[in-house]
Amino acid sequence: MEANAWIDQAEHAILHTYNRYQIILERGEGLYLYDTEGKKYLDFAAGIGVQALGYGNSEYNAALKKQIDRLLHTSNLYYNQPIIEAAEKLCEVSGMERVFFTNSGTEAIEGAIKAAKKYAYEKDGTTDHEIIAMEHSFHGRSLGALAVTGNAHYREPFEPLPGIVKFAEYNNPDSVAALINEKTCAVIMETVQGEGGIYPAAKEFLAGVKEICEARDILLILDEIQCGMGRSGQMFAWQNYGVKPDIMTCAKALGCGVPVGAFLVTEKVACASLKPGDHGTTYGGNPFAGAAVSKVLDIFKEQNITGHVQKISGYLEEQLEQVKKDYGFVKARRGLGLLQGLELEPRVPAGEVSKKALEQGLILITAGNNVLRFVPPLVIERKHVDEMKEILRGIFDSYAD
Ligand SMILES: *Cc1c(COP(=O)(O)O)cnc(C)c1O
């Protein structure tokens, strides 16, 4: 069947919640994806920051196949070895003390919010606690995560959303301080805002918010779903800042393709928040997901992925800076590690650049307000950066005055 016929069928069978690019991806190998017509694409999106190890990693694939033949699922009424190993390894690399596994990022956020609310409830016996979230944040599409997402366009049709949420200005500690009252139970933010347009937290901001939180025993929730798992050059982006959260969320690259997320808490939160009966999931943390997470963390360690990111991200940054210098319509370059963005003037629509890139065999996505987002697999090499840059320059030349 022709690609167009497949796409027609898709639009009849699948609820139309995405305006998709008009290609059907079929297989992947290393840094490249191939569509059903055999066309090859260099991937600078990694399935939205998921495929940290690229495609077809044989060690990872072998571990999954082995687990499929052994045991896929049992429920959380019993223990299973793969998830115990995964939890231990995740606590080790994060320095957090307990983990709850979910199936997605948005569920990790739900759990983080519940843990924070329960912590406050245990402390003062009251409800109606408030959460401070950030403008231009993104935390997911389920109702609780949507309630803390700082994008009115995403939220409005679904209001009223659960809980009392106030929005502060990102990178402005005073605007956080101004919203604090005796009902505040948590501050939630991405360490680097992803969907909002690639804005890393300023050092003073994160330190300032941490100080405000500590002074009043308010929990700091850091969403590391996109910026975590090595992308920043440290295992988790907050490790670049030396500011440890009370609760942290993780997903996307955690399973490198197997749907899995997690929220992690410190000992303090573990001891005084969610208890048996307060939270649960049927699939979350099943043996298959456990085998995936466990193997991903092994490979990260063996191959020193964070060390590689530190080196290669410097090169990507340099090249993007050069592009910014050469094309006047590039307003800014921002980012941390392999989470980078180029903000363009309105006359050069990022969505249009992304479509042209696809035609030329480069997968590039957008973020926020006219920002090109660079979130390649973490195993990228210089030659891939160069290949991307050549295609991007060709496209940018067509917009030059
Ligand atoms: C993608 C993302 C989420 C939501 O994760 P899903 O797995 O799509 O539910 C939440 N927070 C951040 C920062 C994200 O990038």
Side-chain angles (χ1 to χ4, degrees):
M1 202 157 73
E2 295 266 321
N4 282 342
W6 276 110
I7 289 170
D8 252 14
Q9 236 181 35
E11 294 308 334
H12 279 99
I14 299 171
L15 188 66
H16 189 92
T17 60
Y18 281 94
N19 290 318
R20 296 170 200 257
Y21 294 95
Q22 300 294 298
I23 59 169
I24 305 170
L25 294 169
E26 194 172 52
R27 68 190 178 87
E29 217 179 287
L31 265 291
Y32 296 91
L33 283 165
Y34 297 82
D35 70 14
T36 46
E37 326 247 276
K39 184 171 165 182
K40 183 178 176 182
Y41 301 88
L42 173 64
D43 184 13
F44 259 70
I48 320 187
V50 166
Q51 299 285 346
L53 303 174
Y55 300 92
N57 182 294
S58 55
E59 193 186 334
Y60 171 75
N61 288 359
L64 295 187
K65 286 171 193 168
K66 197 166 145 198
Q67 190 58 44
I68 287 172
D69 287 336
R70 187 175 283 165
L71 187 63
L72 272 179
H73 179 82
T74 60
S75 90
N76 283 308
L77 302 178
Y78 315 94
Y79 296 99
N80 74 76
Q81 285 164 339
I83 208 65
I84 298 169
E85 284 175 2
E88 259 192 10
K89 290 172 190 173
L90 194 54
C91 286
E92 188 194 320
V93 293
S94 65
M96 303 295 286
E97 272 110 6
R98 299 281 192 288
V99 50
F100 183 102
F101 285 101
T102 66
N103 311 292
S104 65
T106 203
E107 283 171 86
I109 297 288
E110 298 291 329
I113 293 172
K114 280 181 70 175
K117 287 194 172 183
K118 186 73 196 305
Y119 181 84
Y121 174 81
E122 289 277 317
K123 226 170 34 177
D124 68 12
T126 74
T127 56
D128 293 332
H129 291 104
E130 301 180 4
I131 294 176
I132 297 173
M134 299 299 140
E135 287 165 7
H136 308 296
S137 63
F138 181 83
H139 297 292
R141 303 296 200 147
S142 54
L143 292 172
L146 203 52
V148 292
T149 286
N151 180 330
H153 176 75
Y154 289 167
R155 279 199 322 269
E156 254 167 35
F158 308 103
E159 282 172 348
L161 290 164
I164 304 165
V165 180
K166 293 173 172 172
F167 290 94
E169 195 185 325
Y170 195 67
N171 278 340
N172 178 351
D174 295 340
S175 87
V176 175
L179 296 177
I180 301 264
N181 63 37
E182 72 285 352
K183 279 295 191 183
T184 311
C185 70
V187 177
I188 183 169
M189 69 169 96
E190 294 148 273
T191 319
V192 181
Q193 287 193 332
E195 303 294 321
I198 321 295
Y199 290 94
K203 280 220 153 76
E204 319 76 64
F205 176 61
L206 206 49
V209 171
K210 175 75 181 176
E211 205 180 299
I212 294 168
C213 287
E214 267 188 342
R216 310 187 63 146
D217 198 21
I218 291 165
L219 300 181
L220 175 61
I221 306 173
L222 291 180
D223 182 347
E224 290 266 340
I225 291 170
Q226 189 159 163
C227 60
M229 287 303 289
R231 188 160 290 282
S232 70
Q234 295 293 330
M235 206 54 202
F236 295 99
W238 59 261
Q239 291 166 335
N240 292 283
Y241 296 80
V243 172
K244 188 179 172 181
D246 301 288
I247 304 177
M248 174 190 109
T249 59
C250 184
K252 289 200 164 88
L254 180 60
C256 283
V258 168
V260 54
F263 67 93
L264 292 96
V265 301
T266 57
E267 184 79 30
K268 175 181 96 170
V269 177
C271 293
S273 62
L274 300 173
K275 296 275 153 57
D278 283 336
H279 200 51
T281 164
T282 300
Y283 266 127
N286 81 5
F288 187 61
V293 172
S294 193
K295 184 48 80 176
V296 165
L297 292 172
D298 285 348
I299 296 174
F300 264 68
K301 198 169 176 178
E302 280 159 24
Q303 299 189 4
N304 186 16
I305 297 286
T306 50
H308 176 70
V309 171
Q310 285 165 25
K311 272 184 275 166
I312 195 69
S313 65
Y315 185 66
L316 174 63
E317 245 179 60
E318 257 170 48
Q319 299 308 311
L320 292 177
E321 278 297 327
Q322 191 59 48
V323 167
K324 174 175 174 265
K325 229 183 255 166
D326 292 346
Y327 298 91
F329 54 77
V330 179
K331 284 167 68 178
R333 182 207 59 82
R334 290 187 295 268
L336 186 62
L338 287 180
L339 176 52
Q340 294 285 332
L342 284 184
E343 185 177 342
L344 309 178
E345 278 180 3
R347 76 172 181 86
V348 183
E352 197 177 282
V353 172
S354 159
K355 276 193 190 127
K356 287 185 181 182
L358 195 70
E359 280 164 23
Q360 297 186 36
L362 170 66
I363 293 187
L364 205 54
I365 54 177
T366 63
N369 193 3
N370 217 29
V371 175
L372 279 177
R373 170 165 36 165
F374 302 83
V375 280
L378 305 184
V379 292
I380 195 164
E381 302 285 348
R382 274 177 176 238
K383 64 180 181 203
H384 304 115
V385 174
D386 292 339
E387 188 183 340
M388 177 280 291
K389 186 185 66 180
E390 285 315 305
I391 298 175
L392 186 64
R393 281 180 167 277
I395 296 165
F396 276 5
D397 281 343
S398 68
Y399 290 99
D401 357 66

